Amino acid sequence: MIDLQVIKLSDFIHDVGEDEARSRLSSFSCGGLNDEVEHYLCDGAFRHSRKKTSITYLVMAAGDAKTCLAYYTLAVKPFSVKSSRLTARQKKEMKDLARICISREDKSYGIASYLIGQLAKNYAVDGGKLISGRDLVGFIIEQIRGIRDQVGGKVVFLEYEKDRPKLKEFYKSCAFEEFKMPSDAEDGERLGQLFCFLNE
C-alpha cells in the first residue's frame, strides 16, 4: 500500500478555501456504484463538517494534497438493539458494554458507538487501485481504535445497500457481523446494518 495522509475536510477547506475544495473534490467518482455517496462528499459532508455533527476525512497519497483517493465519514451515535436480534455471544458482549441503558421493557441495549457513515474509493484515480477496500476499512478501524483509547467505546456499525450482496460479504470479510434478525426499521428498506466489536 502507498503511504497515505488523512486530512479532515474542515482542515482542507481552511487550507484551500471552500470553492477550491469543492472544485478539487468534484471529480470524485465511485465508478457508477453509488451516486449518493459522490453527492454527499460535495454537499452533505461540507454541511455536517460545519455543524460538527459528523467528521469527513479525505485520504490522500502522502505529499499530494490535490488528489483524493478515498474518503470516509465518522460520527458518534447511540446504538440501540433489541435482545431478540442478537445471537447468544453477541448478547453477552452487548450486555457487558451497555453502560448507557438496558431497557427491561423491550429488552434492548443502548450503547454509545461509532458510525462509519460514508466510505468510498475514488475510481477516477487509477481506477481506484491505489488503495484497496480492505486496506481502507482497516485504516478506518485503526483510527477508531485511537479514538476509543481516548474516550472509550467498543462498537462500530455501518449501513449497506441490501441490493448489493457483494458489498455485504466484503464488510463481513472485514470482521463486521450480521444480526441474528433485522430490525423492524430494516424490513422492506433498502439499507441493512452490520457491526463489529473493537476487540484488543
Side-chain angles (χ1 to χ4, degrees), residues 87-117:
T87 65
R89 179 190 62 78
Q90 292 170 347
K91 196 178 300 184
K92 181 181 183 306
E93 289 208 46
M94 288 290 185
K95 187 174 181 180
D96 290 342
L97 295 172
R99 296 292 178 250
I100 293 180
C101 70
I102 301 177
S103 171
R104 288 182 172 81
E105 290 78 27
D106 62 0
K107 295 183 180 177
S108 65
Y109 303 104
I111 299 163
S113 60
Y114 301 100
L115 168 68
I116 302 175

Side-chain angles (χ1 to χ4, degrees), residues 48-61:
H48 291 294
S49 289
R50 276 194 297 272
K51 295 177 182 179
K52 304 292 189 210
T53 51
S54 63
I55 303 298
T56 293
Y57 297 87
L58 309 176
V59 181
M60 314 279 198

Side-chain angles (χ1 to χ4, degrees), residues 77 79 113-116 155-158 176 193-195:
K77 190 170 182 180
F79 183 73
S113 60
Y114 301 100
L115 168 68
I116 302 175
V155 176
V156 180
F157 75 100
L158 53 75
F176 281 84
Q193 291 179 330
L194 296 171
F195 74 97

Side-chain angles (χ1 to χ4, degrees), residues 14-147:
H14 179 269
D15 290 344
V16 304
E18 183 166 333
D19 289 344
E20 180 64 17
R22 287 181 184 276
S23 175
R24 291 189 190 182
L25 296 174
S26 64
S27 62
F28 191 99
S29 171
C30 294
L33 297 175
N34 195 321
D35 294 340
E36 192 175 305
V37 173
E38 291 175 13
H39 179 71
Y40 179 84
L41 178 59
C42 291
D43 182 38
F46 283 77
R47 287 187 286 106
H48 291 294
S49 289
R50 276 194 297 272
K51 295 177 182 179
K52 304 292 189 210
T53 51
S54 63
I55 303 298
T56 293
Y57 297 87
L58 309 176
V59 181
M60 314 279 198
D64 178 6
K66 292 185 177 179
T67 306
C68 181
L69 303 180
Y71 90 92
Y72 57 95
T73 301
L74 300 179
V76 176
K77 190 170 182 180
F79 183 73
S80 180
V81 58
K82 290 185 179 180
S83 175
S84 59
R85 296 183 64 201
L86 303 171
T87 65
R89 179 190 62 78
Q90 292 170 347
K91 196 178 300 184
K92 181 181 183 306
E93 289 208 46
M94 288 290 185
K95 187 174 181 180
D96 290 342
L97 295 172
R99 296 292 178 250
I100 293 180
C101 70
I102 301 177
S103 171
R104 288 182 172 81
E105 290 78 27
D106 62 0
K107 295 183 180 177
S108 65
Y109 303 104
I111 299 163
S113 60
Y114 301 100
L115 168 68
I116 302 175
Q118 301 288 344
L119 165 63
K121 295 196 307 177
N122 188 359
Y123 286 83
V125 180
D126 289 340
K129 295 177 182 176
L130 293 182
I131 182 171
S132 73
R134 189 176 301 278
D135 285 341
L136 181 58
V137 171
F139 189 80
I140 294 168
I141 294 297
E142 282 309 304
Q143 180 176 359
I144 294 174
R145 285 184 196 279
I147 299 169

